[in-house]
Amino acid sequence: MKKILLIILLLAAILPMHALSSGNRAEALREKLMSGDKSSVMVVAHRGDWRYAPENSLAAIRHSIDVGVDVVELDLQLTKDSVLIVMHDGRLERTTTGKGLVKEWTVDSIKTLKLKNGCGIKTMHGVPTLEEALLEAKGKVLVNLDKADRYFDLLMSVLEKTGTARQVIMKGAKPADDVFALYGPYLDEVIYMPVVNLDKPAAGELMTGFMERLRPVAYELVYADDSNSMPVQLRESLDGKALIWYNTLWDTLCGGHDDDLSLSDTDASFGYLIDTLGATIIQTDRAEHLLKYLRQRGLHD
């Protein structure tokens, strides 16, 4: 009996590592998230590490996976012929060689365009459909789909076709009752995270509604005013109940503890969010910089 118990314990320890090494990394990352594991910090690459390759491109997704990112954040737009593509803007000019509104172009026409890099220079990369992006990420990384609630029915059909529903994270600021009304049947697979702006008067009421009704695995918390006491309070009240996600893309999302600050004082930026506010998920425009910091602290593989 003791020998059987020992084998079971060894398997429990080995299985997550095996999942990571055998092409099931996304499932292992999902389990880490769903279990409330706080032993390390998950890294989210904003628009797929756009400093390396054009934002929302397949190359940006691949690079994020290669460097060890846990979640890739992507944006959705809908073409004239109702195909979901991966793109941030509703217009084409900033990120592609095209002009006009995405919704006025068919997917075949958009496929003739080239993506621009962060300096606005034409590259060799094309615009991916959501299906192509999900297949690139399948089994390798979790995917946060931004602006996805606008196209939920279309989105679900793509997730079902690609078999990627379990590795998708959706977020939004809707109250808990609205979330159930819209996504109820899918919440067993798709991970939903509330976004709560702690500077708004209704923040406390929203948090209470989510805690009682939805019980999400994590919250994205936003605040600009560094004198706001709620971020510190929520570290304690959410402990053991949900993980905390912060965006460091710019200062008004995280009380000034952002990516720019991290370049001169990493402890005052990423370190503050982790040590003082209890962040275990950080979305950044500097994924490799954050990964290096976390690895030095033993907070990421």
Side-chain angles (χ1 to χ4, degrees):
M1 180 62 73
K2 289 182 178 179
K3 185 178 290 186
I4 293 172
L5 180 60
L6 179 61
I7 292 171
I8 291 172
L9 290 173
L10 286 171
L11 285 172
I14 293 169
L15 279 174
M17 296 176 60
H18 174 71
L20 289 171
S21 62
S22 63
N24 294 319
R25 181 172 182 260
E27 190 64 29
L29 289 170
R30 176 188 169 94
E31 178 55 32
K32 171 181 169 58
L33 189 60
M34 299 298 288
S35 67
D37 185 348
K38 297 172 65 176
S39 62
S40 61
V41 176
M42 300 183 80
V43 175
V44 186
H46 183 226
R47 303 183 196 175
D49 199 0
W50 58 264
R51 280 185 167 85
Y52 176 84
E55 65 179 63
N56 288 305
S57 66
L58 295 181
I61 297 170
R62 281 194 291 270
H63 182 70
S64 296
I65 294 167
D66 289 344
V67 300
V69 160
D70 305 294
V71 185
V72 175
E73 186 262 1
L74 303 173
D75 304 280
L76 298 186
Q77 297 292 339
L78 188 65
T79 66
K80 183 179 180 179
D81 48 345
S82 297
V83 176
L84 288 169
I85 62 169
V86 181
M87 185 175 293
H88 181 271
D89 299 0
R91 297 192 64 88
L92 295 164
E93 287 87 348
R94 182 180 68 86
T95 58
T96 80
T97 52
K99 293 182 179 180
L101 297 170
V102 174
K103 66 181 182 181
E104 295 176 352
W105 286 59
T106 64
V107 69
D108 286 345
S109 297
I110 286 178
K111 282 295 188 181
T112 66
L113 305 177
K114 295 298 181 184
L115 289 169
K116 296 177 182 178
N117 63 21
C119 297
I121 306 300
K122 173 185 173 183
T123 72
M124 61 183 286
H125 302 283
V127 179
T129 63
L130 172 61
E131 181 176 342
E132 290 168 339
L134 289 173
L135 289 174
E136 188 67 48
K138 186 172 182 177
K140 303 169 189 171
V141 69
L142 298 180
V143 180
N144 171 211
L145 295 177
D146 199 12
K147 307 182 186 72
D149 55 354
R150 299 177 297 172
Y151 317 115
F152 197 71
D153 290 338
L154 286 172
L155 167 65
M156 289 310 302
S157 66
V158 179
L159 298 185
E160 290 166 2
K161 180 180 180 182
T162 56
T164 55
R166 287 178 57 81
Q167 68 189 84
V168 166
I169 299 168
M170 290 179 59
K171 296 182 297 179
K174 294 179 175 64
D177 287 343
D178 292 352
V179 172
F180 270 101
L182 287 168
Y183 315 129
Y186 306 104
L187 292 177
D188 287 340
E189 288 192 293
V190 173
I191 300 168
Y192 184 86
M193 292 186 194
V195 180
V196 182
N197 188 330
L198 302 181
D199 291 333
K200 293 188 175 181
E205 182 181 346
L206 277 173
M207 289 297 301
T208 300
F210 283 124
M211 288 179 189
E212 293 177 352
R213 181 89 167 92
L214 189 61
R215 298 182 183 177
V217 296
Y219 293 84
E220 179 187 325
L221 303 180
V222 178
Y223 76 108
D225 182 2
D226 203 27
S227 67
N228 190 332
S229 62
M230 283 194 73
V232 174
Q233 293 170 2
L234 283 170
R235 175 187 181 167
E236 295 182 8
S237 60
L238 292 177
D239 187 30
K241 299 175 183 176
L243 301 178
I244 295 173
W245 169 317
Y246 276 105
N247 287 349
T248 56
L249 314 177
W250 52 85
D251 59 348
T252 55
L253 293 174
C254 53
H257 306 279
D258 62 345
D259 284 347
D260 282 353
L261 178 61
S262 77
L263 297 178
S264 59
D265 191 342
T266 320
D267 287 328
S269 172
F270 302 141
Y272 179 86
L273 296 174
I274 296 165
D275 299 328
T276 303
L277 301 188
T280 51
I281 310 169
I282 296 177
Q283 178 172 319
T284 176
D285 278 325
R286 297 187 177 276
E288 290 183 76
H289 177 52
L290 174 55
L291 283 165
K292 180 180 178 181
Y293 174 73
L294 294 175
R295 287 164 178 160
Q296 288 172 343
R297 291 190 53 181
L299 293 174
H300 204 283
D301 294 335

